[in-house]
């Protein structure tokens, strides 16, 4: 079960394998864009909003337990709000991505909006419990 910090780490590793240099990353105790990366060969930037499948705070009611379906809906909605807000800032040569755990609830609530994500040019990455990252949308890195 992946918390947000584990999703961020997996995405950073994945982007590094794709030729991106991680410019910054935030943990759950920090504010800001979760991952900012740049491909030196093209100058293209990627900004990632990450959501976890469980709480990263020890002592919280959800620590070590998967989020319920309604909590996943909330994470997806807030994640997309943040991604579209970043996109709305209009940074040149920047692409925007939501990264979430690859679970049944996340897939269930991402499937209906996949066409809209693709039309808007928003990428979605799914991260497995084994820290493997795969594209959910046709977004190319």
């Amino acid at each position: 079960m992946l918390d947000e910090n584990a999703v961020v780490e997996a995405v950073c590793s994945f982007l590094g394998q794709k030729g991106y240099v991680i410019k910054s990353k935030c943990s759950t105790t920090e504010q800001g864009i979760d991952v900012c990366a740049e491909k030196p060969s093209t100058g293209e930037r990627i900004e990632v909003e990450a959501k976890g499948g469980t709480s990263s705070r020890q002592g919280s009611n959800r620590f070590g337990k998967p989020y319920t379906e309604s909590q996943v809906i909330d994470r997806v909605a807030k994640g997309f709000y943040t991604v579209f807000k970043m996109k709305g800032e209009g940074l040149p040569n920047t692409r925007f991505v939501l990264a979430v755990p690859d679970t049944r609830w996340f897939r269930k609530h991402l499937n209906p909006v996949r066409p809209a994500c693709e039309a808007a040019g928003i990428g979605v990455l799914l991260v497995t419990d084994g820290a493997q990252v795969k594209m959910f949308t046709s977004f190319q890195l």
Side-chain angles (χ1 to χ4, degrees), residues 95-115:
R95 299 172 75 195
F96 304 93
V97 174
L98 175 65
V100 299
D102 188 3
T103 68
R104 133 180 100 127
W105 294 129
F106 276 101
R107 281 182 174 269
K108 177 182 178 181
H109 297 291
L110 288 169
N111 274 324
V113 297
R114 181 187 276 183

Side-chain angles (χ1 to χ4, degrees), residues 54-55 57-67 71:
T54 186
S55 175
R57 287 183 303 127
Q58 287 187 346
S60 77
N61 288 338
R62 297 306 315 166
F63 182 75
K65 298 176 188 172
Y67 287 134
Q71 288 171 316

Side-chain angles (χ1 to χ4, degrees), residues 25-88:
K25 65 181 178 176
C26 289
S27 72
T28 53
T29 60
E30 301 171 308
Q31 290 188 339
I33 298 167
D34 292 324
V35 178
C36 293
E38 186 175 307
K39 189 175 263 188
S41 62
T42 63
E44 179 183 62
R45 291 177 43 91
I46 298 280
E47 292 187 355
V48 180
E49 172 65 13
K51 294 295 179 190
T54 186
S55 175
S56 60
R57 287 183 303 127
Q58 287 187 346
S60 77
N61 288 338
R62 297 306 315 166
F63 182 75
K65 298 176 188 172
Y67 287 134
T68 64
E69 182 177 7
S70 64
Q71 288 171 316
V72 168
I73 293 168
D74 181 71
R75 298 310 180 278
V76 168
K78 288 178 179 174
F80 278 126
Y81 172 80
T82 301
V83 169
F84 276 95
K85 185 177 171 190
M86 292 185 314
K87 186 175 175 74

Side-chain angles (χ1 to χ4, degrees), residues 11-28:
V11 168
C12 286
S13 177
F14 175 76
L15 290 174
Q17 293 169 10
K18 298 286 187 182
Y20 288 86
V21 173
I22 305 304
K23 296 294 190 177
S24 66
K25 65 181 178 176
C26 289
S27 72
T28 53

